[in-house]
Amino acid sequence: MAEPDGRTLGDEEVAAAERVIRSGMLNSVWGVEAKALEREMAATYGSRHAISCSSGTAALHLSVVAAAPDPGDEIITTPITDFGTVAPILSQNAVPVFADVDPVDGNLDPDAVAALIGPRTKAILAVHLFGASARIGELRALADTHGLTLIEDCAQAWLTETPGGALAGTVGQVGTFSLQQWKHITCGDGGLVITDDDELARRMRLFADKGWDRAAGRSHAAFGLNYRMTELQAAVARAQFAKLHGVVAARRRTAGLLTKALAGLPGVLLPNAEGHAWWLYPLVLPGGGAPALAERLRAAGVPARAGYLAEPLNHAPVLRHGPVYGTSRFPLTEEPAACPEAERMVAETLLIVDWNENYTDDHVSTVAAALWEALGA
Ligand SMILES: *Cc1c(COP(=O)(O)O)cnc(C)c1O
């Protein structure tokens, strides 16, 4: 199966890049593109604020800054995610605490999160893994009960809908998004955060711009880095953003066809299609054997991989033995605890098939036929 490249870059993006270069203004502090992208993002998500930045990891760093942990405070998150979810926690000298996941879809198990909430917990950082909604309503209730900030990492979940019907990213206090090369839409690298909270928005804007309140002159009342998106990124991102609904709709159509074609396939849990944005098409084999199946599917030309990660992040060497800063493991004091469900998923049960908006009915048939061939009775 020849995999389509799944990108929607074309004349609109070329025109956007040219528009910016001809304008002579490539920096978003003085330009118009990033501000327009922020308005378009806020309008689509119905949020009071949207802030552009240089990557999804930067967006997550801003969200951790918004939660304002003191050094040594804890942020509960998932071990099955991109390292960009965890790096910003360490970067603010807070401690990532990994809660185990629901073995059905790899998203955070709210009961596991609840069991880890303690006096130093400052926030819950949930990921909508592969585009499937996390149990975000339950996590919001937990966060509210304990006075925690809820952050939603939507890097893989553009236009994902939660079971309550909200867009993923609007249930927590802050939602974060990525425009990295292989996300639903892209400007190479880029990020966005949304929030309805004026104070959190203020903190995040300041941190993304060196702590520089430009209305206050060249005075620095806050600490920050330079996480600004450039006008070139923003203009390309705007052209891509206009295509977002089409991209997600196309992925939903073909993923729906595959789910239908796999109905009754033994030994496999099919993903819950509700609200799914299909960054990837995930399957779970409760009996194990995902690595061998992935190999067999690849031999049949299907772009399948087992486990998604080499190891869940509670086993990441940097978090187990450091160092984090210099020769120090600060702010870590112990090795992350075990997360047996996540460990089993990554090693044995999780299979992912690459997915994108240019898949055709023929691609779906090829994937379905290979899976039936491998697993069918
Ligand atoms: C891609 C990704 C990130 C990091 O985004 P970058 O734009 O690559 O920095 C964070 N979290 C998740 C879940 C991701 O998929």
Side-chain angles (χ1 to χ4, degrees):
M1 157 176 166
E3 202 196 342
D5 78 355
R7 300 292 78 191
T8 53
L9 299 165
D11 292 344
E12 299 81 5
E13 289 75 13
V14 171
E18 181 174 355
R19 177 173 79 230
V20 170
I21 294 169
R22 293 205 183 281
S23 80
M25 177 48 68
L26 275 56
N27 184 295
S28 59
V29 174
W30 298 276
V32 296
E33 302 286 347
K35 293 179 184 83
L37 175 66
E38 291 173 352
R39 281 196 300 276
E40 289 156 6
M41 180 73 182
T44 294
Y45 277 83
S47 53
R48 269 176 72 76
H49 304 275
I51 300 164
S52 59
C53 57
S54 53
S55 71
T57 304
L60 284 150
H61 198 169
L62 298 182
S63 75
V64 172
V65 165
D70 282 338
D73 279 353
E74 297 170 358
I75 296 184
I76 300 174
T77 191
T78 169
I80 303 186
T81 184
D82 182 86
F83 197 74
T85 310
V86 172
I89 300 173
L90 286 175
S91 199
Q92 286 307 103
N93 297 321
V95 177
V97 173
F98 294 102
D100 212 349
V101 301
D102 185 334
V104 165
D105 65 3
N107 272 318
L108 273 177
D109 173 356
D111 292 334
V113 172
L116 291 169
I117 294 174
R120 298 226 59 178
T121 307
K122 193 72 181 179
I124 300 168
L125 204 177
V127 175
H128 299 283
L129 190 64
F130 308 139
S133 179
R135 286 156 68 182
I136 204 71
E138 288 166 72
L139 294 172
R140 177 69 204 239
L142 263 182
D144 287 350
T145 301
H146 297 275
L148 310 175
T149 302
L150 176 62
I151 300 163
E152 296 177 74
D153 179 347
C154 307
Q156 304 178 359
W158 286 95
L159 299 183
T160 289
E161 286 157 30
T162 69
L167 282 175
T170 64
V171 178
Q173 283 89 344
V174 183
T176 74
F177 297 80
S178 168
L179 293 154
Q180 182 265 352
Q181 178 70 31
W182 305 114
K183 302 303 159 75
H184 289 81
I185 54 173
T186 184
C187 59
D189 271 309
L192 283 158
V193 297
I194 55 174
T195 185
D196 284 337
D197 186 302
D198 295 348
E199 169 57 17
L200 301 192
R202 190 189 68 84
R203 276 181 214 158
M204 293 193 284
R205 274 201 189 283
L206 278 173
F207 194 88
D209 193 18
K210 298 182 280 194
W212 189 348
D213 176 358
R214 289 181 185 256
R218 203 147 190 162
S219 167
H220 295 268
F223 169 62
L225 302 173
N226 178 350
Y227 276 162
R228 297 186 306 251
M229 181 181 273
T230 71
E231 289 288 275
L232 277 167
Q233 285 169 293
V236 172
R238 289 182 69 197
Q240 287 276 285
F241 194 67
K243 301 176 183 180
L244 175 61
H245 282 89
V247 163
V248 174
R251 289 174 183 240
R252 283 182 172 149
R253 188 188 76 81
T254 48
L257 290 177
L258 181 60
T259 302
K260 208 173 279 174
L262 297 181
L265 184 67
V268 171
L269 284 179
L270 300 181
N272 177 359
E274 212 170 299
H276 211 299
W278 306 106
W279 184 57
L280 299 168
Y281 191 100
L283 292 161
V284 171
L285 287 80
L293 178 59
E295 204 164 308
R296 193 164 163 185
L297 291 172
R298 277 200 305 276
V302 172
R305 283 169 288 144
Y308 175 56
L309 302 168
E311 68 266 321
L313 295 186
N314 60 314
H315 283 273
V318 63
L319 300 177
R320 288 181 82 79
H321 342 283
V324 179
Y325 297 103
T327 58
S328 163
R329 290 189 69 234
F330 184 85
L332 305 175
T333 52
E334 44 198 283
E335 288 187 12
C339 295
E341 298 291 2
E343 286 150 24
R344 186 167 142 73
M345 280 192 91
V346 169
E348 293 291 339
T349 70
L350 176 63
L351 181 94
I352 55 185
V353 179
D354 287 344
W355 212 253
N356 69 55
E357 53 277 10
N358 291 333
Y359 272 43
T360 62
D361 294 21
D362 282 349
H363 290 111
V364 173
S365 303
T366 303
V367 176
L371 274 160
W372 275 103
E373 169 77 27
L375 295 174

